Amino acid sequence: MREKKPYFVVTYFTTAEAMATERICKAKGIDGKLVSAPRSVSADCGIAWRCAPENKDRTMAALDEAGIEVQGCHDLML
Amino acid sequence: MSSIYFDNAATTIHKPQCVIDAVVKAMTTLGNSGRSAGTQALDASRVIYEAREKVARLFDVDNPRNVVFTSNATDSLNIAIKGILGKGDHVITTDLEHNSVLRPLYALEKDGVEVSFIRSDRNGNINYEDIEPLIKANTKVIITTHASNVTGNVIDVKRVGEIAHKHNLIYLVDASQTAGAFPISMKEMNIDILAFTGHKSLLAPQGVGGLCVADGIHISAYKHGGSGVQSYLKEHPSEMPTRLEAGTLNSHGIAGLSSAITYINEIGIENIQAKEAGLAERFRVGLKDIDGITIYGDHSSVHAPIVAINLEGMGSAELSDVLMEDYGIATRPGAHCAPRMHEALGTVEQGVVRFSFGYGNTIEEVDVAISALREIAGEA
């Protein structure tokens, strides 16, 4: 069975906000990727941004600076 | 016989190869945007988001999430008009408008929306002094085209926007004839909502258009459906751009639009505008001394690359057909979906033959058309 790891996960109200996150994080060199929103945090079928816990603060600062609206932020074992 | 296309105001047919390539690539690689985190679906979302960024830059919109993709300008205008006007509201528009503005307004009139018109003179111009006296306590929106699709006359949108904002009104502009061929800054021109289509001067495929919305302007959705997000809500999501984009987006067409904007930026909108204006002006000047030809509109200032004409004693449909059958020149006769414009010009009976020029046209083609008209008019 695959071993679970800790991640920081951001969910969104729209796909556009998720795509904006990818663009901004890539431009700032913040590692992470777009994944399906985990069922444990959202029953919706949206896209979420997932990154290592150590990138949490930089990610949130980047999103805040860009005015990206988030639905929720979660520390998860995935 | 040559084949010359002068119906670019209806749609452009000289699409750049990069646009065609982008559409083919999209059709063979993209999934459904926002519907999963699979590579193909994400690639579709990336293409669409990049296109939002390009459209935002093109029209000077700060937030790409305020760029909504639609299927064409009619779709955009219906979304905007029906999403901001309701019973008891008053709207001001012009005689220059296309049916894509007029018919949604006529439909809303039946539901209690009041409509007033800024009248056009016989040259296709409005008098800007006529606007303020039309404003009432319940006026909510002013809607104008950027340029008439019949005469090519351009409306000073910055001036109309100043009037709108002075009275706290929303200003909606139909940029069907100018997007891609005229520099447009929503901020500098005081535009709150800009409706555009992709398939004309933006050189994209048919089936893609859009709506740019300034911050603080709320448009209610009249379409509800799939969104890829917030699936357990009974209501369609309220956040932009999802609020106004129910259903699968045309990612193939949007990929083409994205490539087309890059192409246009590489050439420079000012260069495109100058070339098209030069072709139109050469044509207009070439016709001036042909007996029996009437040229419509006011060509004394900045003008969309349209020259609308009639030949005395001949219906517009007949002249357009002779041009097509005997000379291979495609034009558009008739009413051009702009009934009030023709009423103002006095051309309801005859219609007009519209020559509309695009970036893909040449001086040689213009000269062929001038010779053809000289011959038809019996001067050859």
Side-chain angles (χ1 to χ4, degrees):
Chain A
M1 196 170 162
R2 190 172 64 87
E3 188 184 347
K4 291 194 173 186
K5 292 184 201 168
Y7 286 106
F8 177 62
V9 173
V10 184
T11 56
Y12 305 91
F13 292 111
T14 70
T15 303
E17 302 284 357
M19 304 321 293
T21 298
E22 184 184 59
R23 299 276 287 182
I24 286 153
C25 287
K26 196 171 272 187
K28 289 183 176 292
I30 303 170
D31 283 341
K33 69 180 291 192
L34 291 168
V35 296
S36 300
R39 292 286 295 175
S40 59
V41 297
S42 172
D44 294 330
C45 47
I47 297 166
W49 177 254
R50 188 188 77 185
C51 65
E54 54 267 31
N55 286 336
K56 175 177 177 175
D57 291 345
R58 285 181 69 206
T59 301
M60 291 313 295
L63 298 190
D64 192 45
E65 184 187 334
I68 292 175
E69 190 180 7
V70 303
Q71 185 180 36
C73 304
H74 311 271
D75 297 305
L76 298 175
M77 293 295 291
L78 295 171
Chain B
M1 187 168 64
S2 59
S3 174
I4 297 174
Y5 185 81
F6 287 147
D7 199 11
N8 294 279
T11 194
T12 50
I13 61 166
H14 302 111
K15 308 295 186 190
Q17 188 58 45
C18 62
V19 172
I20 297 164
D21 293 343
V23 173
V24 171
K25 184 181 176 196
M27 289 182 76
T28 51
T29 58
L30 299 188
N32 194 337
S33 168
R35 269 45 173 183
S36 91
T39 300
Q40 296 83 355
L42 280 181
D43 281 346
S45 298
R46 289 182 182 114
V47 163
I48 289 169
Y49 192 75
E50 187 178 350
R52 288 193 210 282
E53 291 183 320
K54 289 184 188 176
V55 170
R57 277 195 294 273
L58 187 67
F59 299 130
D60 198 13
V61 178
D62 284 335
N63 188 343
R65 277 91 80 198
N66 285 344
V67 174
V68 173
F69 286 118
T70 66
S71 55
N72 49 48
T74 294
D75 193 21
S76 302
L77 288 162
N78 271 270
I79 290 169
I81 290 169
K82 293 174 181 172
I84 49 180
L85 286 167
K87 188 176 181 180
D89 290 333
H90 173 238
V91 52
I92 297 168
T93 188
T94 82
D95 279 346
L96 279 65
E97 305 310 312
H98 186 275
N99 270 338
S100 54
V101 168
L102 297 176
R103 284 178 170 162
L105 292 179
Y106 293 148
L108 286 176
E109 265 189 320
K110 292 178 185 166
D111 298 331
V113 170
E114 292 178 72
V115 184
S116 297
F117 287 92
I118 307 161
R119 306 310 303 268
S120 164
D121 63 22
R122 284 184 75 87
N123 285 324
N125 286 327
I126 59 168
N127 180 354
Y128 297 90
E129 306 293 325
D130 291 345
I131 299 174
E132 283 193 295
L134 292 173
I135 297 172
K136 306 196 291 185
N138 60 336
T139 306
K140 191 168 185 185
V141 192
I142 297 177
I143 307 172
T144 77
T145 187
H146 191 181
S148 163
N149 71 309
V150 178
T151 64
N153 283 17
V154 171
I155 284 183
D156 184 348
V157 290
K158 185 175 181 181
R159 184 170 174 186
V160 177
E162 278 170 7
I163 296 168
H165 288 179
K166 181 180 158 192
H167 294 272
N168 294 316
L169 307 179
I170 297 169
Y171 185 34
L172 164 57
V173 172
D174 171 9
S176 296
Q177 293 301 329
T178 53
F182 277 57
I184 296 174
S185 163
M186 285 182 63
K187 280 185 267 185
E188 284 180 19
M189 294 174 162
N190 305 304
I191 299 169
D192 296 305
I193 307 172
L194 186 83
F196 66 93
T197 190
H199 69 95
K200 296 185 179 183
S201 293
L202 279 168
L203 305 175
Q206 296 174 1
V208 61
L211 204 53
C212 297
V213 185
D215 277 333
I217 302 295
H218 181 87
I219 301 175
S220 300
Y222 79 94
K223 277 192 295 187
H224 311 94
S227 60
V229 292
Q230 306 185 62
S231 296
Y232 286 90
L233 279 182
K234 282 191 173 176
E235 303 82 27
H236 194 76
S238 61
E239 293 81 8
M240 288 282 279
T242 308
R243 185 199 309 153
L244 303 178
E245 290 183 341
T248 298
L249 287 175
N250 176 7
S251 62
H252 305 154
I254 293 168
L257 175 65
S258 183
S259 177
I261 293 173
T262 299
Y263 175 86
I264 288 166
N265 286 337
E266 283 170 1
I267 294 167
I269 282 192
E270 288 80 3
N271 294 327
I272 291 171
Q273 185 179 22
K275 178 183 174 180
E276 293 179 351
L279 294 171
E281 184 61 7
R282 184 182 181 92
F283 180 67
R284 188 187 69 83
V285 170
L287 300 187
K288 264 194 341 188
D289 60 345
I290 301 177
D291 283 344
I293 285 194
T294 302
I295 300 171
Y296 298 92
D298 180 353
H299 292 263
S300 64
S301 57
V302 179
H303 207 264
I306 289 172
V307 181
I309 69 161
N310 267 322
L311 181 58
E312 195 178 346
M314 202 180 234
S316 65
E318 188 185 357
L319 176 56
S320 184
D321 283 353
V322 170
L323 285 163
M324 188 73 249
E325 289 174 13
D326 295 351
Y327 300 93
I329 298 171
T331 58
R332 178 163 177 198
H336 314 89
C337 304
R340 296 184 70 96
M341 186 75 266
H342 281 279
E343 286 168 8
L345 296 173
T347 52
V348 171
E349 290 299 316
Q350 197 176 8
V352 300
V353 179
R354 182 184 69 187
F355 290 75
S356 51
F357 304 90
Y359 188 71
N361 288 130
T362 64
I363 287 172
E364 291 73 25
E365 290 176 331
V366 168
D367 291 345
V368 168
I370 294 168
S371 298
L373 284 163
R374 198 176 292 282
E375 203 169 270
I376 297 167
E379 292 189 8

